[in-house]
């Protein structure tokens, strides 16, 4: 690989930005396609699918065949709220390959004993989130029902372009939440990205079922090519 290409690829990886190294198999020519350049690339549909799946492979036919080496940051989930749903959700999310972090300033809930094998940060979101570096390969799930805790986290996630942003609460509760966040300057387009009520509509009736519904919705957004390419840009 050309040294300049390698340096550019390493810079994208260090910044947790998706990129694909395209190698034209007949000629051996290589080029790096960054997520922000996706829409203008002649291989845009194939690249969008590659960004969504995270899998490398060959595209095209005959002389047009190219190998796509996909470099996508590992997806992760930040859960705001060390609640019963989170206790069910964390091991499920880890089992599907996500790195999971729990944030909750309430030290009686945010304990290693309640969340074994999961990173727990017992701080307010506005203190904890800057150190985590939210990005388009991060999902944020807000579950406390407390506006003082959930809403700063939702704002930070929307501003960072997280690929999934969801919040627990009824439609009525969410409507009031949106009014408060909008008053602090976020656009209606940004606010429309919040999944609320959170989770797939599967009739979930208890914390483990709600956790399944949330995880399913997160995975659906993660694997949706248009959503991922837009967020990553």
């Amino acid at each position: 690989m050309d040294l300049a290409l390698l340096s550019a690829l390493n810079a994208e990886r260090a910044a947790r930005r998706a990129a694909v190294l395209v190698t034209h198999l007949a000629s051996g020519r290589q080029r790096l396609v960054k997520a922000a350049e996706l829409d203008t690339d002649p291989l845009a549909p194939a690249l969008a699918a590659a960004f969504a799946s995270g899998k490398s492979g060959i595209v095209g036919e005959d002389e047009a065949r190219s190998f796509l080496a996909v470099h996508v940051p590992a997806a992760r989930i930040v859960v705001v709220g060390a609640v019963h749903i989170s206790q069910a959700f964390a091991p499920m999310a880890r089992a599907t390959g996500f790195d999971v972090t729990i944030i909750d300033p309430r030290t009686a809930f945010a304990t290693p004993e309640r969340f074994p094998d999961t990173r727990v940060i017992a701080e307010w979101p506005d203190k904890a989130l800057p150190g985590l570096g939210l990005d388009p390969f991060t999902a944020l799930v807000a579950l406390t029902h407390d506006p003082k805790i959930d809403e700063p986290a939702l704002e930070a996630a929307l501003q960072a372009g997280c690929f999934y942003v969801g919040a627990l609460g009824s439609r009525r509760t969410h409507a009031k939440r949106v009014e408060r966040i909008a008053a602090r300057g976020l656009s209606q387009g940004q606010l429309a990205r919040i999944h609320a009520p959170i989770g797939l509509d599967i009739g979930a009736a208890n914390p483990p079922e709600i956790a399944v519904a949330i995880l399913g919705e997160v995975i659906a957004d993660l694997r949706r090519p248009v959503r991922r390419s837009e967020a990553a840009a």
Side-chain angles (χ1 to χ4, degrees):
M1 184 191 302
D2 179 80
L3 183 58
L5 275 180
L6 179 59
S7 297
L9 175 59
N10 286 338
E12 295 304 296
R13 295 174 66 181
R16 280 185 56 86
R17 292 191 295 260
V20 174
L21 181 67
V22 180
T23 303
H24 183 245
L25 295 179
S27 66
R29 292 193 302 271
Q30 292 184 311
R31 59 192 175 87
L32 186 68
V33 181
K34 303 174 184 179
E37 303 165 346
L38 173 62
D39 291 341
T40 59
D41 194 273
L43 293 177
L47 290 170
F51 279 133
S53 69
K55 295 180 180 179
S56 301
I58 295 174
V59 299
E61 297 180 357
D62 301 325
E63 290 299 310
R65 295 194 346 153
S66 295
F67 182 77
L68 307 184
V70 182
H71 298 267
V72 177
R76 56 187 179 171
I77 303 176
V78 175
V79 180
V80 177
V83 297
H84 291 310
I85 296 171
S86 308
Q87 288 181 290
F89 181 84
M92 291 180 191
R94 289 200 312 273
T96 55
F98 290 99
D99 176 70
V100 181
T101 299
I102 307 289
I103 296 174
D104 197 320
R106 301 170 299 183
T107 55
F109 297 101
T111 66
E113 292 74 22
R114 297 185 74 233
F115 294 93
D117 303 316
T118 301
R119 183 184 183 188
V120 179
I121 303 177
E123 294 181 356
W124 290 88
D126 58 351
K127 297 285 188 181
L129 291 176
L132 294 179
L134 299 181
D135 59 35
F137 295 90
T138 304
L140 185 128
V141 175
L143 301 177
T144 72
H145 260 314
D146 185 338
K148 297 189 303 296
I149 301 174
D150 285 347
E151 290 176 15
L154 294 171
E155 290 181 55
L158 293 172
Q159 291 169 343
C162 290
F163 77 85
Y164 176 91
V165 182
L168 195 67
S170 67
R171 288 179 174 82
R172 183 175 180 179
T173 296
H174 184 59
K176 295 179 180 178
R177 174 193 293 138
V178 165
E179 288 181 8
R180 290 191 297 268
I181 299 177
R184 293 194 287 272
L186 270 73
S187 71
Q188 290 302 313
Q190 289 174 303
L191 294 168
R193 293 195 56 236
I194 302 174
H195 291 271
I198 197 170
L200 299 175
D201 186 6
I202 60 173
N206 56 50
E209 291 180 359
I210 296 170
V212 169
I214 296 170
L215 185 58
E217 194 169 58
V218 170
I219 292 172
D221 270 22
L222 176 69
R223 298 306 179 197
R224 187 172 298 135
V226 173
R227 177 68 58 81
R228 285 300 297 282
S229 63
E230 287 177 348

